[in-house]
Amino acid sequence: MKRRTLIKSAILAAFAGAAGYGGWQAYRIFKTPDVADLKNHLPLINALAQTIIPKTADSPGAGDVNAAAHIVRMVQLASDKKTQNSFVNGLADIANAAYSRYNKAFENCSPQQQAELLTEAQNSGKPWKGSLGKVQQKLLGNSFFTTLKELSCEAWCTSAEGMNQGLAYDYVPGSFQGCVPLAPGQKSWATK
Amino acid sequence: MSTIDSLSNDSLHTDSLYLNTGKGKATHYFDAIVVGSGISGGFAAKELCEKGLKTLVIERGRKVEHITDYPTAMLNPWQFENRLHVTDNDKKQQPIQSAVADESTKHFFVNDLEHPYIQEKPFLWIRGYQTGGRSLTWGRQCYRLSEFDLEANAKEGIGVDWPVRYKDIAPWYDYAEQFVGVSGQNEGLPQLPDGQFLDPMEMNCIERHLRESNQKHFPDRLITIARVANLTKGLKGRGPCQFRNLCARGCPFSGYFSSNSASLPAAFATGNLSLLNDAIVMEVMVDKETGKATGVRVMDAHTHEITEYFASLIFLNASTINTTAILLQSISERHPDGLGNGSGQVGKNLMDHPYGGGAYGEHDDFKDQYYKGRRPAGVYVPRFQNIPGDSISRKYKRGFGYQGDGERAEWPDRMKMEDGFGASFKEKLTTPGPWTFWMIARGECLPYETNRVTLDKEQKDQWGLPLVRVNFEFGENEKAMVDDQKRHAEEMLEKAGFKNIRSFYYNTTGGRAVHEMGTARMGKDPKTSVVNGFNQLHEVPNVYITDGSFMSSSSCINPSLTYLAFTARACAHAVEELKKGGA
């Protein structure tokens, strides 16, 4: 093992210890993640995305626009190993919790049950405040909840339905006005 | 195969001034050769063609036609398979370029694996090998050097004195701006001279508020709308800007200035331009007797076939580092250390602008106000340090300006700012959040001899040309500005009533501003500089260098407009000399 890798492992081990991580949890974060398997869980991931951004009067939810396809793609192609592991593990944890508590698949739970399960994931995945949170992110990657939430938003806010129905998409504005009064019910611009 | 692309076969009957007397294929003789089709090369081509010279532009990259070769220009976000998210594979293919490129623009940046270079210290060499070069993807900010900038080296005994003063270059700035089409606001500041501007873009509520607050609390710190090469009204059949803010994909409305949209079409319209793509200039050839350059030796990027092209006049506009490499590769009896390198200065004094300190804040007011359209530019705070009227004693020389931007928090911000999920979260995600303002300083970088471009003695690229080595780091003077950069940004936001103010320091790697310059510096003395006050190589007067390499100092402003002004001036000089028979 190279010296640099050794030092890195030592720091990680120390951090894992300090954070109250047992050997099993540390293994779960640093092992080679099975991201290929994620494609078998698209209904579950869409149900989770739909809980983040539900269907409302004016627009569909994130699951309705198949956010899962983008979420899985980005976990597979644009995430570090630790973030991938947290996502794979988090997905398994929340699916197991749904079964053990409600004896149902997450996607078959009621909205209240889904919200309850996701609130728990949110609380356990909340990054620490300030610079400690940055160190935590660097060492452990993004939590399951953070990845799920941000990628759900990205998927929905860049979908044709999200942009045109949920947000205000101005394809070719043609002009720029620096100050205009906000109209009642005015949505955010879909792109910057 | 590289092919010469021109309006008609007529334009291949070259050498209209009958200045070349050598033998060879007529199609290989031109009045002028311009190496590189980026922002300065394209402009040189236009100027020379309009003055009647049969001109060959040699571009090492592929052909990119205006509009038809902008494949992503009209795509919606959902039409990108990764929704503009940079993937691990993008980073693998473009470890350097992915610092600035994304899914919508990556085809305008090189594949780093195919174009290696050696970083002695970390340095981002951002490159666009295609017709138009980086003029397709540039930031379009256009500012003028001031008298303070041009006399600073002489006053402080740093580097060499610019042989040019503001009055010499001012008319050429006028000339360049009038062709480019620069929108902006004249403010009457000596440190940021006024120009020939199209109507300025509007500032939004929060930017106006900050401008007014500064007028009250910091009268030396002006907030002005960015001066940008985006057309606020149509110009010469181009534009106007449609406020899509997708410029770097190439603009189907010709809303901003690039070689592709403006300079090369003007050059083609004269019938004098020939454009050769996929052709790598290996060296400038020099006549042993006269000492003048006779032409360039070129390798076809695909077949590796070597061809020589001849001309009376040569402009090097390959971009700073590549122009330097061409000079260093052009070894001859008369120029044993590289073309025009008797001073030993070629490759030294590399500069870039460091992104330094800045601040971010949120504001509670103007909740009932928004904006419409996507302005492709922010606002600018011109340098206010170390100029007459600055009462603070500074720990550093020269100074910095801020680029900033006011906007309301929208979904990319709110998905991180707002806790929770569900319907109430969706409501926040889809409505405008608080007004925010963000500004970052960019400082002047002094010329240091040790910041240097050299050629590796052994390692070669796939064309057998020596790999470029870059040894660059920002110096003490640049770092000494950071405290002020943070503090002044913070205090402006405080006085204007912002909340949640956070200052930061970017500490970017060299090259990140994509303003590399200075490796063939301009000066009066051939012993200490490479080009003279008209951008002519001291030692080879029919070779001109008007890309960023000639910069004797960097100022803190974006440099491209300055390259254009000096290019136009150099072209006028060169043609005059040709007619006199002097070059």
Side-chain angles (χ1 to χ4, degrees):
Chain A
M1 201 185 265
K2 283 186 187 146
R3 190 169 163 268
R4 194 179 293 172
T5 321
L6 261 176
I7 292 170
K8 211 167 142 193
S9 307
I11 293 171
L12 285 172
F15 188 90
Y21 272 72
W24 168 240
Q25 280 90 344
Y27 168 74
R28 289 186 86 201
I29 293 293
F30 300 114
K31 71 184 163 64
T32 301
D34 185 7
V35 288
D37 178 56
L38 287 174
K39 66 175 186 306
N40 301 319
H41 305 287
L42 295 176
L44 168 62
I45 297 168
N46 270 330
L48 285 160
Q50 188 84 357
T51 314
I52 302 274
I53 303 179
K55 178 175 163 56
T56 47
D58 59 22
S59 56
D64 298 329
V65 302
N66 192 23
H70 180 65
I71 295 170
V72 169
R73 190 174 171 86
M74 289 305 104
V75 170
Q76 289 174 340
L77 302 182
S79 303
D80 61 75
K81 205 166 96 176
K82 291 165 275 181
T83 298
Q84 289 175 335
N85 269 319
S86 295
F87 191 81
V88 170
N89 297 339
L91 205 59
D93 290 347
I94 206 162
N96 291 338
Y99 277 114
S100 63
R101 198 170 309 166
Y102 305 114
N103 203 21
K104 281 191 281 206
F106 179 89
E107 48 272 44
N108 297 329
C109 288
S110 71
Q112 288 71 21
Q113 291 167 338
Q114 290 175 334
E116 195 174 303
L117 289 162
L118 206 53
T119 302
E120 284 166 25
Q122 173 178 237
N123 294 341
S124 71
K126 209 170 235 170
W128 299 342
K129 292 263 181 240
S131 53
L132 212 54
K134 276 185 195 156
V135 177
Q136 181 193 22
Q137 200 274 338
K138 198 154 192 172
L139 288 176
L140 300 179
N142 279 335
S143 73
F144 166 71
F145 182 79
T146 300
T147 304
L148 173 71
K149 179 174 169 178
E150 292 185 0
L151 288 176
S152 297
C153 290
E154 188 175 275
W156 184 82
C157 293
T158 58
S159 69
E161 298 87 341
M163 290 184 73
N164 287 308
Q165 296 168 41
L167 296 156
Y169 184 34
D170 200 352
Y171 181 52
V172 181
S175 67
F176 179 76
Q177 291 150 269
C179 288
V180 293
L182 198 65
Q186 162 91 51
K187 299 284 191 183
S188 277
W189 298 118
T191 56
K192 284 187 185 270
Chain B
M1 274 292 284
S2 50
T3 49
I4 292 183
D5 180 15
S6 56
L7 259 196
S8 68
N9 286 332
D10 272 358
S11 63
L12 290 177
H13 294 291
T14 54
D15 194 20
S16 58
L17 301 179
Y18 302 102
L19 295 160
N20 267 304
T21 50
K23 293 187 170 64
K25 284 190 206 164
T27 52
H28 292 179
Y29 285 83
F30 294 84
D31 296 329
I33 288 172
V34 177
V35 180
S37 66
I39 201 156
S40 67
F43 205 56
K46 164 192 147 1
E47 291 298 299
L48 297 172
C49 286
E50 287 181 347
K51 291 176 192 304
L53 270 57
K54 296 290 182 190
T55 303
L56 174 67
V57 171
I58 303 177
E59 165 54 53
R60 69 171 295 160
R62 68 191 170 95
K63 192 198 293 195
V64 168
E65 295 278 8
H66 183 44
I67 302 179
T68 50
D69 288 332
Y70 303 156
T72 59
M74 296 304 287
L75 296 184
N76 295 290
W78 60 85
Q79 292 171 299
F80 291 92
E81 67 178 350
N82 300 319
R83 307 279 174 95
L84 304 173
H85 198 124
V86 176
T87 65
D88 294 344
N89 192 45
D90 293 333
K91 289 182 193 159
K92 210 158 100 191
Q93 297 296 316
Q94 297 182 307
I96 304 295
Q97 315 300 314
S98 60
V100 295
D102 71 15
E103 203 177 2
S104 69
T105 58
K106 63 184 177 186
H107 47 285
F108 292 145
F109 295 92
V110 300
N111 179 322
D112 290 306
L113 306 181
E114 291 170 9
H115 301 281
Y117 64 103
I118 297 162
Q119 306 172 59
E120 294 184 17
K121 301 186 187 102
F123 183 87
L124 301 171
W125 186 15
I126 305 298
R127 289 159 291 169
Y129 290 167
Q130 65 257 332
T131 309
R134 298 179 301 193
S135 76
L136 284 170
T137 56
W138 69 308
R140 307 170 313 286
Q141 304 266 328
C142 290
Y143 302 103
R144 294 182 174 207
L145 293 180
S146 73
E147 192 73 343
F148 300 133
D149 294 317
L150 292 163
E151 65 186 22
N153 279 2
K155 277 191 163 170
E156 296 165 2
I158 287 173
V160 290
D161 183 18
W162 284 88
V164 170
R165 287 296 180 264
Y166 185 66
K167 65 172 170 31
D168 304 315
I169 195 66
W172 297 101
Y173 275 123
D174 288 345
Y175 178 81
E177 284 161 353
Q178 281 163 340
F179 181 75
V180 167
V182 179
S183 68
Q185 170 91 43
N186 282 326
E187 301 279 8
L189 296 182
Q191 73 271 32
L192 196 76
D194 290 343
Q196 305 291 323
F197 299 140
L198 305 175
D199 286 347
M201 294 178 190
E202 291 182 9
M203 291 204 267
N204 63 37
C205 293
I206 205 70
E207 293 161 350
R208 290 180 201 178
H209 170 69
L210 190 60
R211 178 178 164 106
E212 284 159 22
S213 167
N214 273 13
Q215 282 165 348
K216 206 183 306 166
H217 301 289
F218 305 103
D220 58 331
R221 304 180 196 174
L222 178 81
I223 310 266
T224 189
I225 187 72
R227 297 172 180 175
V228 280
N230 286 76
L231 300 170
T232 47
K233 68 169 187 202
L235 181 71
K236 305 174 209 294
R238 293 185 268 133
C241 172
Q242 297 298 303
F243 295 92
R244 305 183 320 137
N245 194 24
L246 302 173
C247 311
R249 299 180 183 182
C251 186
F253 305 96
S254 308
Y256 73 93
F257 175 83
S258 65
S259 287
N260 312 59
S261 70
S263 310
L264 293 173
F268 270 124
T270 65
N272 289 329
L273 177 68
S274 302
L275 173 60
L276 179 67
N277 280 94
D278 302 302
I280 301 167
V281 170
M282 308 163 69
E283 63 174 311
V284 177
M285 303 174 296
V286 176
D287 185 297
K288 237 189 342 195
E289 308 299 318
T290 65
K292 286 186 182 172
T294 56
V296 292
R297 188 166 287 124
V298 171
M299 185 185 286
D300 185 298
H302 305 298
T303 65
H304 293 207
E305 190 187 333
I306 293 172
T307 312
E308 292 175 348
Y309 293 92
F310 302 93
S312 317
L313 183 61
I314 292 172
F315 269 67
L316 294 181
N317 299 83
S319 86
T320 294
I321 294 175
N322 274 327
T323 286
T324 305
I326 292 170
L327 292 174
L328 294 175
Q329 282 159 207
S330 304
I331 302 288
S332 62
E333 223 169 277
R334 287 177 80 118
H335 300 278
D337 300 318
L339 191 73
N341 193 19
S343 65
Q345 289 294 327
V346 172
K348 293 182 179 172
N349 312 301
L350 180 64
M351 298 174 277
D352 181 48
H353 290 130
Y355 284 94
Y360 162 92
E362 294 164 12
H363 208 288
D364 286 340
D365 294 346
F366 313 107
K367 280 201 159 58
D368 55 350
Q369 297 291 314
Y370 208 14
Y371 35 78
K372 187 189 176 304
R374 297 184 290 278
R375 194 184 60 196
V379 294
Y380 191 61
V381 186
R383 172 178 157 188
F384 52 88
Q385 322 82 31
N386 291 323
I387 55 171
D390 180 21
S391 55
I392 302 174
S393 150
R394 309 279 179 181
K395 291 191 208 118
Y396 48 86
K397 297 183 163 61
R398 315 210 184 171
F400 54 87
Y402 290 102
Q403 289 186 5
D405 180 45
E407 59 183 45
R408 295 196 71 157
E410 290 162 351
W411 71 263
D413 320 295
R414 300 201 89 182
M415 74 180 193
K416 296 186 179 191
M417 286 163 86
E418 307 295 343
D419 277 341
F421 58 87
S424 62
F425 169 73
K426 184 181 180 184
E427 171 71 18
K428 291 178 192 147
L429 188 70
T430 53
T431 49
W435 284 94
T436 64
F437 193 90
W438 173 94
M439 66 177 123
I440 180 86
R442 223 159 37 192
E444 175 157 359
C445 170
L446 295 179
Y448 304 101
E449 282 212 350
T450 46
N451 282 342
R452 193 168 177 190
V453 174
T454 52
L455 300 179
D456 193 80
K457 293 196 171 58
E458 274 136 36
Q459 300 181 72
K460 309 241 188 276
D461 65 16
Q462 57 176 303
W463 298 279
L465 298 171
L467 289 194
V468 164
R469 303 183 71 93
V470 183
N471 186 345
F472 181 91
E473 63 182 343
F474 290 115
E476 289 310 313
N477 196 63
E478 291 80 77
K479 288 175 195 147
M481 296 181 191
V482 173
D483 284 346
D484 278 6
Q485 292 170 342
K486 289 163 71 175
R487 183 167 60 94
H488 293 322
E490 242 178 329
E491 65 198 12
M492 283 188 261
L493 295 181
E494 270 162 22
K495 287 285 186 201
F498 282 82
K499 312 260 164 67
N500 298 333
I501 298 170
R502 290 196 302 270
S503 67
F504 48 78
Y505 171 37
Y506 270 26
N507 193 15
T508 47
T509 306
R512 178 61 184 76
V514 203
H515 291 172
E516 69 276 9
M517 59 171 98
T519 48
R521 70 186 181 189
M522 176 181 277
K524 292 170 195 150
D525 186 352
K527 289 203 282 295
T528 57
S529 60
V530 182
V531 298
N532 69 14
F534 287 100
N535 297 71
Q536 250 173 323
L537 274 183
H538 285 299
E539 297 169 11
V540 192
N542 65 336
V543 175
Y544 287 72
I545 300 180
T546 68
D547 60 20
S549 347
F550 74 86
M551 298 287 281
S552 316
S553 67
S554 70
S555 177
C556 62
I557 55 157
N558 304 57
S560 297
L561 181 71
T562 297
Y563 305 165
L564 296 177
F566 276 87
T567 296
R569 182 166 170 270
C571 288
H573 183 265
V575 171
E576 219 169 276
E577 292 292 299
L578 262 188
K579 286 183 178 155
K580 281 197 293 202

